[in-house]
């Protein structure tokens, strides 16, 4: 049975739900379709936090930041490939979007450091709780309170259109039955394609055989659906690996653990990189080590900074030892080398100067037992490329014309992150642009 609504949103992750909440609050009738039996997609896996510049929480800690500095860091991290207009929106709207999330019930008041940032800018969930878990709790409550219709087990398979004008979508439910959802506006928020090895290798052949941190639903369904509308794609070959993923089981260890003080050590027991370089740089450095893996090493003080780390231990990922020498035994690296490496690192922390590798985030000497280590290697993490949008989140075709009634936000889009996404920018991306998409789609349908 076909149904009719003002706006239909494809995907119930962070971008889709931000859009749904904003559009509903503007008075539009919204239907969200989600192919999985649950909401959240890759957003469920977001661990670190949300980057935002010039917030009251930074101010309270005496951190000097601005959208301009955030822009410069992100542009540098993205290898100057980022779309300047989209990046301007991301950085300038970051703080107000964080406050918007807090108005919905989120708590993002804790500030920390993440890779590629020149100041503490990543805003974390309460008690170091993974930010994605926290935000999906908040969004879930909003969906209930606002009465937003989310159709689970419902997969979008086609965008309905007449010429350059979008008319809704065709969906398929679990039993393979299909029907149309007629709508004046469609918002694509279906995420990336990091769990689609065929597409990944097609666009970046050197990632053949890599593991992935992605939710299984990140298959890039939207890319096929937009073809008939001649939609333009941006940076589609830009695919990021996350440096610290446990090999074979593909469990990601959050970048925040390095921001909190963990170091990277190779099989010779030696450090080899400033651990807080951007993901592309750190990934490349790990792939140059013996066995293409390395270890994260931390002590009790780092371990106690976030509840996630205890979870890693309970999952059997973090190995615990009472001394560095015992830890070296578990890691199968030379104990004397590991002890010397940690001693030198502690000297660098004391001196606030890491002469050898140039690490600037030097807060914690690794001196408190127990010590912990986990072996890691890079895996496919984020697809920076996707459909081309303008700053109003309208989807653009190859003639540079906006497809009428079609909007997109989140990992399905390209341009925001350029050639490399900075940790903490996915959450900013999905919420800033999700909210804009919701507002603009509502305005487009006359609400
Ligand atoms: P973002 O971070 O951009 O919000 P997520 O990965 O968190 O992206 O969310 C995207 C959601 O879209 C996932 O829950 C995924 O299962 C869903 N999805 C992907 N393709 C489809 C599709 N064809 N139909 C319905 N839902 C889809």
């Amino acid at each position: 049975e076909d149904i009719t609504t003002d706006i239909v949103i494809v995907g119930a992750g962070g971008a889709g739900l931000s859009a749904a909440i904003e559009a509903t609050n503007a008075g539009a009738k919204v239907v969200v379709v989600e192919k999985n039996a649950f909401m959240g997609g890759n957003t469920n896996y977001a661990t670190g936090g949300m980057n935002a510049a010039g917030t009251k929480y930074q101010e309270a800690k005496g951190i000097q930041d601005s959208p301009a500095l955030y822009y410069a860091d992100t542009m540098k991290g993205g290898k100057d490939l980022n779309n300047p207009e989209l990046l301007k929106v991301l950085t300038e709207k970051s703080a107000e979007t964080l406050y918007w999330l807090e108005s919905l019930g989120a708590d993002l008041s804790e500030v920390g450091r993440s890779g590629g940032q020149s100041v503490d800018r990543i805003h974390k969930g309460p008690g170091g709780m993974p930010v994605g878990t926290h935000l999906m709790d908040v969004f879930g409550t909003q969906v209930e309170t606002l009465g937003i219709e989310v159709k689970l087990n419902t997969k979008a398979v086609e965008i309905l259109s007449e010429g350059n004008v979008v008319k809704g979508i065709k969906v398929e439910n679990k039993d393979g039955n299909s029907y149309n959802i007629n709508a004046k506006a469609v918002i694509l928020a279906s995420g990336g394609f990091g769990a689609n090895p065929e597409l990944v290798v097609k666009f970046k052949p050197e990632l053949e055989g890599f593991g992935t941190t992605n939710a299984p639903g990140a298959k890039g369904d939207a890319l096929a659906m937009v073809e008939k509308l001649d939609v333009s794609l941006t940076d589609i070959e830009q695919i990021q690996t996350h440096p610290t993923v446990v090999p074979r089981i593909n469990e990601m260890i959050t970048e925040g653990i390095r921001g909190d003080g963990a170091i990277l050590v190779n099989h010779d027991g030696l450090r080899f990189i400033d651990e807080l370089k951007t993901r592309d740089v750190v990934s490349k450095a790990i792939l140059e080590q013996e066995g293409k893996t390395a270890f994260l090493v931390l002590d009790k003080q780092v371990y106690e900074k976030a509840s996630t780390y205890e979870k890693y231990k309970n999952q059997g990922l973090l190995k615990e030892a009472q001394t560095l020498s015992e830890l070296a035994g578990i890691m199968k690296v030379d104990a004397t080398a590991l002890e010397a490496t940690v001693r030198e690192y502690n000297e660098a922390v004391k001196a606030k100067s890491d002469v050898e590798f140039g690490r600037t985030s030097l807060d914690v000497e690794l001196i408190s037992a127990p010590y912990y280590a986990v072996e890691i290697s890079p895996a496919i993490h984020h697809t920076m490329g996707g459909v081309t949008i303008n700053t109003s989140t309208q989807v653009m075709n190859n003639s540079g014309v906006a497809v009428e009634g079609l909007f997109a936000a989140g990992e399905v889009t390209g341009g925001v992150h350029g050639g490399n996404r900075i940790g903490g920018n996915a959450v900013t991306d999905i919420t800033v642009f999700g909210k804009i998409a919701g507002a603009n789609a509502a305005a487009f349908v006359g609400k």
Side-chain angles (χ1 to χ4, degrees):
E1 187 85 346
D2 292 357
I3 60 173
T4 298
T5 183
D6 290 334
I7 301 170
V8 63
I9 300 177
V10 182
L17 294 177
S18 293
I21 291 162
E22 186 72 355
T24 303
N25 282 331
K29 177 158 174 33
V30 174
V31 173
V32 184
V33 299
E34 167 56 56
K35 68 178 174 182
N36 282 331
F38 54 89
M39 302 192 286
N42 272 347
T43 304
N44 285 330
Y45 295 4
T47 53
M50 172 180 184
N51 289 336
T55 67
K56 57 186 178 192
Y57 303 118
Q58 290 177 306
E59 209 170 288
K61 284 181 74 182
I63 299 158
Q64 300 256 347
D65 197 9
S66 65
L69 184 60
Y70 179 20
Y71 180 102
D73 284 348
T74 305
M75 190 54 106
K76 182 167 172 243
K79 302 177 196 168
D80 290 320
L81 269 180
N82 314 56
N83 176 296
E85 281 77 39
L86 293 177
L87 185 51
K88 206 158 175 286
V89 172
L90 181 89
T91 53
E92 286 178 355
K93 296 217 177 279
S94 60
E96 68 180 66
T97 304
L98 185 146
Y99 300 145
W100 175 70
L101 291 168
E102 292 199 327
S103 79
L104 301 176
D107 170 4
L108 297 161
S109 56
E110 241 178 86
V111 191
R113 180 73 67 97
S114 190
Q117 298 168 19
S118 55
V119 296
D120 288 7
R121 180 181 292 141
I122 191 162
H123 294 67
K124 307 183 191 189
M129 177 182 190
V131 70
T133 314
H134 178 54
L135 287 183
M136 286 310 301
D137 277 352
V138 169
F139 290 149
T141 305
Q142 287 291 324
V143 163
E144 289 204 358
T145 314
L146 298 174
I148 297 171
E149 186 174 356
V150 179
K151 289 182 173 297
L152 299 174
N153 297 310
T154 304
K155 180 179 179 178
V157 291
E158 190 186 329
I159 298 171
L160 307 171
S161 59
E162 276 169 28
N164 194 43
V165 183
V166 157
K167 299 284 179 190
I169 58 171
K170 181 179 175 184
V171 298
E172 228 173 65
N173 65 19
K174 238 178 148 183
D175 315 318
N177 297 323
S178 60
Y179 59 96
N180 291 344
I181 301 180
N182 304 305
K184 290 189 217 96
V186 174
I187 302 177
L188 295 174
S190 49
F193 58 95
N196 187 333
E198 254 166 55
L199 272 186
V200 165
V201 171
K202 174 176 161 196
F203 295 123
K204 197 167 178 182
E206 62 266 41
L207 294 179
E208 172 90 62
F210 268 62
T212 181
T213 65
N214 280 252
K219 296 263 190 265
D221 297 354
L223 296 179
M225 285 196 278
V226 298
E227 258 174 31
K228 68 170 183 186
L229 290 160
D230 193 31
V231 162
S232 149
L233 300 181
T234 295
D235 297 337
I236 199 71
E237 69 293 342
Q238 298 296 338
I239 300 169
Q240 176 183 70
T241 58
H242 191 290
T244 61
V245 180
V246 181
R248 291 170 295 279
I249 57 174
N250 287 327
E251 284 285 348
M252 183 180 79
I253 307 294
T254 180
E255 185 164 308
I257 205 164
R258 282 172 281 142
D260 281 339
I263 59 171
L264 280 168
V265 169
N266 66 16
H267 293 269
D268 296 322
L270 305 174
R271 282 180 71 214
F272 52 91
I273 184 87
D274 166 4
E275 289 83 356
L276 288 164
K277 287 275 189 213
T278 49
R279 289 172 174 175
D280 55 333
V281 175
V282 177
S283 292
K284 187 162 175 281
I286 293 168
L287 292 174
E288 283 161 4
Q289 307 307 310
E290 187 198 321
K292 298 185 193 265
T293 70
F295 298 91
L296 282 164
V297 173
L298 49 143
D299 77 342
K300 182 180 174 212
Q301 298 169 82
V302 177
Y303 177 82
E304 285 178 347
K305 285 195 180 184
S307 56
T308 321
Y309 308 153
E310 189 181 346
K311 202 189 85 196
Y312 294 154
K313 189 182 91 173
N314 293 340
Q315 282 175 283
L317 304 175
L318 278 182
K319 309 290 185 218
E320 185 182 274
Q322 291 308 317
T323 63
L324 281 172
S325 142
E326 189 191 325
L327 193 69
I330 296 171
M331 295 159 64
K332 299 193 177 68
V333 308
D334 184 75
T336 319
L338 182 65
E339 282 168 348
T341 294
V342 171
R343 203 176 324 121
E344 275 164 38
Y345 176 74
N346 291 342
E347 289 302 322
V349 173
K350 254 189 248 160
K352 289 273 169 250
S353 162
D354 175 26
V355 177
E356 205 174 351
F357 302 107
R359 175 169 173 151
T360 55
S361 171
L362 295 162
D363 297 331
V364 188
E365 283 180 63
L366 304 176
I367 44 175
S368 306
Y371 296 92
Y372 301 89
V374 53
E375 188 173 9
I376 50 75
S377 184
I380 294 158
H381 188 52
H382 192 92
T383 48
M384 275 79 69
V387 302
T388 306
I389 54 166
N390 63 16
T391 53
S392 308
T393 70
Q394 289 177 290
V395 174
M396 309 301 291
N397 71 18
N398 282 314
S399 315
V401 176
V403 180
E404 209 176 307
L406 188 60
F407 301 82
E411 197 174 349
V412 71
T413 69
V416 176
H417 307 290
N420 176 60
R421 179 172 68 74
I422 300 287
N425 269 359
V427 174
T428 317
D429 178 14
I430 61 180
T431 54
V432 166
F433 288 101
K435 182 170 182 281
I436 293 173
N440 286 337
F444 178 79
V445 303
K447 296 292 155 84

